[in-house]
Each structure stands twice: as C-alpha cells, then as structure tokens.
C-alpha cells in the first residue's frame, strides 16, 4: 500500500442548532429515527419514479420518491455524526454492501450514523435533485442536533463512488443555492465539518468522463462543470480523507489524485491512501484485503483531527 499525506491542521467550528423537520415515526431501541428531508413536495421539476421504492437482492435501493435520512444512534455517542452516502452511478444506492455495513461499524466507534436516501436522476429526477437532498440533509441533521445528542460542529459526510461525488459537491459547494429555503433549518450551514471520499467519482470532464454517474447527470447541460468536484475546491473546503485502489476499473485513480492536488493547492488538510489492489465497490473491504485497512486509517485520521 502506498500512502500520500499532507500535514493535518486542527480546526473547530460551531454552528447554531435551531429549527424542526417532520419525523417519520417514533424511535425504538433497535430502530433508526427516520426524518423526511422536505416538509412537502421535494424541489425540482421532473416526474420522478413510478411505483414504490425498490430494493434489489443485493440491497441496492432505487425509485426513491421520499428523500430522507435514517439515524442510527450508538449506545455511547461521542457527539460526531456522519452522513453515509452510497454509490451506484446515480441509478441506485448501494445500501447492502456499502452503506449499512459502514453505518454499523461507525456505531461501534461511538459515531451517530446517518443514512441518506437521495433522489436518483435515473428515476427521472433532475440532475440537481441528489445535490439538493444532500445539502438539505446536512441542515436538517443540524436542526435536530440537540435531540439526537450530536455536536452540530462535528457533522461529516462519507461517500462511496457516485456517493463520493455527491459528498464532494456537498463539501465544496456548500454555499451554493441548490434550492429555495423552505423552513428554519435552511438558515443553518450546509458545510460539512469533514469528508471521507472512497473510490469517488470526482471529475465528469475528460479523460474521466466514462462513468455512469456522468451519463446520468448529463441531462443538465453544464453538469461537467457543475459537478466536477475538483473545480470547486477552495480554502473553505473541510478536512478530507480519500482512499482508492490503483486498479479501480470504474473510477480511474486519477479522480482521487486530482482531488488531493486541488485540496493541497488550497491549503486544505487532506490525506490520500492509494492501495495497489482492490478494484471498485469494496465497501468495508473483504477481510484480509488491502482495502479493508481503510476503516482503521480513517478512524486514526478522524481522531487526529478531533472528530472521534
């Protein structure tokens, strides 16, 4: 395994916690709290999917018409919350092999794991829909910080593949107005305090414009510029952890490298781990594989930054 690092700088932020959003049901000891992201119809034109939400045999979710977050609280929360965003080329969300195992692991670390169900362009939602949902999710989570026992200044995002693209835009374009404010939660910051991007789709530009993510987002004329993460990195981007395998056949390793370089250029604390083997879509990683080291590496990085 080859590691590339830049110096990590400590930073702290505090964001006020106010506002409310509708909950889907009462919390039970072994059940997550589910919160709808939008008080009524989600923003954005588009018919959306037909029929009910679907779950494949592998646990991938599609046909999302009610974007929401599900919050899994650990027995002994440490105040940190991480929004976990699955990949799937904006055509499905990899819950079974990526999101839920990661959420379960985060709980063992004392982290409040927040699972994002976001709208998919492949289901006839506009390209901007998932970015609206991610931005809103960060704000809604902060609005509920006190009742959930989380620190609103320790809210992170963790994304896989297309979810890495979504998390990356959330961290770099937090000041963008992806939708009109709908309630008091939208007065809160949409900037995550840290980010982890795993085998991410960073660029939609050549020579990296070969992924399904790019194709699904191409219904928006300026998608390549709007959603190529590296183009939007500024000094305001939060500390970022990246991990990817050299032999990734879906998202070229150059994705993580150009993101790392953009962060470095702007003086943003970052850490990149490049594994020799692992391919794509490894989630938590098969035990004994190179890529299975990433959770431990991430935990070390997060502790060093004061997030665990």
């Amino acid at each position: 395994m080859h590691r590339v690092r830049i110096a990590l700088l400590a930073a702290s932020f505090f964001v006020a916690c106010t506002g409310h959003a509708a909950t889907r049901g009462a919390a039970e000891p072994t059940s997550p709290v589910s919160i709808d992201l939008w008080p009524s119809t989600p923003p954005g034109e588009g018919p959306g999917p037909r029929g009910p939400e679907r779950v494949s045999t592998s646990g991938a979710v599609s046909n999302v018409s009610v974007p929401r977050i599900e919050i899994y609280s650990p027995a002994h929360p440490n105040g940190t919350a991480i929004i976990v965003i699955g990949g799937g080329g904006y055509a499905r969300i990899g819950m079974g092999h990526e999101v839920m195992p990661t959420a379960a692991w985060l709980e063992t670390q004392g982290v409040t794991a927040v699972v994002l169900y976001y709208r998919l362009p492949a289901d006839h939602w506009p390209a901007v829909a998932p970015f609206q949902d991610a931005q809103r999710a960060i704000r809604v989570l902060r609005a509920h910080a006190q009742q959930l026992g989380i620190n609103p200044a320790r809210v992170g995002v963790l994304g896989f593949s297309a979810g890495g693209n979504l998390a990356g835009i959330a961290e770099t374009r937090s000041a963008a107005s992806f939708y009109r404010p709908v309630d008091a939660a939208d007065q809160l910051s949409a900037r995550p305090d840290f980010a982890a991007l795993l085998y991410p789709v960073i660029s939609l530009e050549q020579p990296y414009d070969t992924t399904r993510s790019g194709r699904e987002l191409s219904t928006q004329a300026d998608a390549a510029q709007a959603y190529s993460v590296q183009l939007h990195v500024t000094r305001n981007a939060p500390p970022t952890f990246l991990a990817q395998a050299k032999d990734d056949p879906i998202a070229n390793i150059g994705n993580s490298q150009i993101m790392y370089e953009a962060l470095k250029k702007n003086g943003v604390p970052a850490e990149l781990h490049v594994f020799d083997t692992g391919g794509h879509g490894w989630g938590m990683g098969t035990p004994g594989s190179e890529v299975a080291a990433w959770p431990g590496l991430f935990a070390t990085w997060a502790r060093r930054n004061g997030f665990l």
Side-chain angles (χ1 to χ4, degrees):
M1 179 182 68
H2 175 58
R3 301 181 187 179
V4 184
R5 300 189 180 196
I6 65 174
L8 298 169
L9 304 176
S12 62
F13 307 91
F14 185 78
V15 184
C17 169
T18 59
H20 300 278
T23 59
R24 291 175 64 84
E28 296 176 4
T30 58
S31 300
V33 173
S34 186
I35 305 175
D36 290 353
L37 295 181
W38 307 98
S40 57
T41 303
E45 298 179 359
R50 294 182 180 179
E53 195 167 283
R54 292 197 295 262
V55 182
S56 72
T57 55
S58 66
V61 172
S62 60
N63 249 40
V64 175
S65 59
V66 182
R68 61 197 184 276
I69 51 176
E70 290 186 349
I71 299 102
Y72 294 82
S73 298
H76 304 287
N78 60 19
T80 294
I82 297 180
I83 299 174
V84 187
I85 310 174
Y90 291 109
R92 56 190 178 277
I93 307 172
M95 295 291 180
H97 74 288
E98 288 178 339
V99 173
M100 300 314 294
T102 302
W105 173 74
L106 288 171
E107 282 190 85
T108 69
Q109 305 300 302
V111 173
T112 298
V114 181
V115 174
L116 176 62
Y117 288 75
Y118 58 94
R119 289 170 292 159
L120 299 162
D123 290 334
H124 310 293
W125 291 109
V128 71
F131 305 100
Q132 293 171 331
D133 292 345
Q135 193 173 66
R136 173 74 176 173
I138 295 168
R139 288 172 168 149
V140 168
L141 186 60
R142 285 196 166 113
H144 285 75
Q146 186 173 16
Q147 69 190 75
L148 294 172
I150 63 176
N151 184 339
R154 288 167 60 182
V155 173
V157 290
L158 186 157
F160 299 92
S161 191
N165 179 264
L166 186 48
I169 291 297
E171 71 161 305
T172 58
R173 298 192 61 194
S174 59
S177 298
F178 287 123
Y179 62 91
R180 293 180 180 179
V182 296
D183 57 25
D186 289 324
Q187 302 305 310
L188 302 176
S189 173
R191 178 188 181 276
D193 298 297
F194 60 98
L197 311 179
L198 290 305
Y199 44 92
V201 175
I202 294 296
S203 180
L204 306 184
E205 297 184 313
Q206 295 182 350
Y208 306 113
D209 58 338
T210 59
T211 65
R212 181 166 186 175
S213 297
R215 294 194 296 274
E216 295 295 348
L217 295 174
S218 66
T219 54
Q220 181 174 320
D222 67 342
Q225 195 283 330
Y227 307 128
S228 287
V229 182
Q230 84 283 2
L231 300 180
H232 303 286
V233 176
T234 68
R235 292 184 178 275
N236 190 51
T240 302
F241 176 94
L242 297 125
Q244 193 167 7
K246 287 182 182 178
D247 63 350
D248 191 323
I250 305 297
N252 186 284
I253 184 62
N255 280 275
S256 287
Q257 291 171 332
I258 60 175
M259 182 63 176
Y260 171 80
E261 291 300 330
L263 292 162
K264 181 178 179 180
K265 180 180 178 180
N266 284 275
V268 178
E271 181 167 300
L272 167 62
H273 293 272
V274 179
F275 302 99
D276 289 330
T277 60
H280 190 82
W282 19 273
M284 287 290 288
T286 301
S289 67
E290 281 191 74
V291 294
W294 83 260
L297 295 169
F298 169 70
T300 298
W301 174 86
R303 290 190 185 96
R304 191 182 301 125
N305 277 271
F307 299 121
L308 284 184

